[in-house]
Every structure is written in structure tokens, then in C-alpha cells.
Amino acid sequence: MEKYVSLKVDDGTYMEAYTSIPADASGRNAPGLILLQEAFGVNHHIRDVADRFAAQGFVVVAPELFHRTAPPYFEGDYTDFPSLMPHMNGLTIEGNQADLKAAYHFLKHHELVNPANIFSIGYCMGGRVSFLANATLPLTAGVSYYGGNIKTLADKAADVNGPHLFFWGGLDKHIGQDQIDLITGALDNAGKKYTNVKFSCADHAFACDERLAYNEQATNEAWAMTLAFFRNNMK
């Protein structure tokens, strides 16, 4: 039961979103998960991650965050990052928040989702948006994998609702320790709960098994921690 849905956003736009549903879900018992893309779109990798979480019992929605500038079902090329810049530059905090609210509304009213247990997770660009989701929506908890440029959201720390889990790569040249310290320091100052994990031998995008930076050991450990984090925060 995997399909795309078209979600209406408050700004009048429509956004395609990939969904993945647990095969044995029944009643309103399943946790919901907003899965937020890398800069390369809701591509094969993100859809595969959605299916993996669905196999763990989550009802997953992966919204296409580039829907204002790219055609539906857009997938970028891992070897051509510059071609993605017009779409990345077209993102705004307000637009992201509107998209997140549309995805949350979908899950909250889904016939299989327990609305008390809705989470977010994101990778790279989506890691930043997942943090924004936790500061925008009444989420149970959120997870960010190597959230690019996440420092720009430090002023949102006081608005974070649920506990947040961060993963970083120690070899990541895109995200320095100063950025990590800035966002965790802001959470400390706001008295928010978070868990901070850094894999010293992993690089940026270590959890994407379709990229050269893939690190199997770090990915397996992060996956186990992610599932435990979600389950330990369920109500």
C-alpha cells in the first residue's frame, strides 16, 4: 500500500508526497512520521527509507519540498549539485512551515495514525527542516541526520516541542563543530531535551547507501538508535 498523495498547502499550492503504510496496521494505533528529503528530492533512496520505516510500523509521508520550483516527482542527480541550487534557494522558512503543517494534517487525520505519536526525521537539507518541524508542530519527537545549515534555525530552539536527536559525521566538512555547538547550545539555553551523536569516522551523508559517503556501521548504529528514540518517546 504505497502511493503518492496530493496535499493542499495553506499558501494555495499543492504538494505531492510519497506515503508508505505498514502492511498490518489497523485502527488508529500506528505512529506517524514526516520524512524530509535531502536536496535531491523524494528520490529512490528517500522512498526506500520510507518503506523501511513503514516495515517498522510507521505511517510515513515524505513531502516534495521543491514543489514550488520543480515539477512533481522531481529527482536530482547526485553528481550535479549545482543544478539543485535554484530549488534550494527557492525554499523559505515560511514555505517550509506551510508544507510541514500540510504533512502533519495528513498524518493527524489518517485513519491508521495515533495523533499522539507523530514524529519527524530528515537527512541533510531535510535534517534542518526536521528541526524546524519540531519547532513548528506539536511533534512527539524529531530526528536530524547531518542537518545542513541548521545554524540558521538556532533562534527556533525555544519553540522546540519534543525531544530531538541529532546525528553528525566527524569527517563532515560541510558542518563544523561550531554549528553543532551553536544549535545544541541554543537548546541548552532553552532547557530543551536532546541527544547528540557524532560518528568520528563517518562523513556527510553517511546514511545514504546510494552515495560514496555511505558508512554501513554508522548507519546501522544510527538506525537502531533512531528506532529506540522514537519508541522510547511514544505515548
Side-chain angles (χ1 to χ4, degrees), residues 82-101:
S83 68
L84 305 173
M85 293 309 297
H87 306 302
M88 295 184 69
N89 291 337
L91 297 178
T92 64
I93 289 178
E94 295 76 18
N96 284 158
Q97 288 177 315
D99 294 348
L100 291 166
K101 290 174 182 177

Side-chain angles (χ1 to χ4, degrees), residues 120-189:
S120 70
I121 190 169
Y123 300 81
C124 191
M125 181 189 86
R128 181 180 73 250
V129 181
S130 181
F131 183 77
L132 180 63
N134 204 354
T136 301
L137 307 168
L139 296 182
T140 309
V143 178
S144 295
Y145 278 67
Y146 33 82
N149 210 26
I150 199 169
K151 63 182 180 181
T152 60
L153 296 177
D155 63 341
K156 301 291 185 184
D159 299 325
V160 166
N161 289 289
H164 207 87
L165 171 60
F166 299 94
F167 292 110
W168 316 97
L171 304 179
D172 191 341
K173 300 298 189 296
H174 303 281
I175 304 172
Q177 187 63 44
D178 59 329
Q179 292 196 46
I180 301 172
D181 292 344
L182 181 64
I183 201 70
T184 57
L187 289 167
D188 284 334
N189 291 336

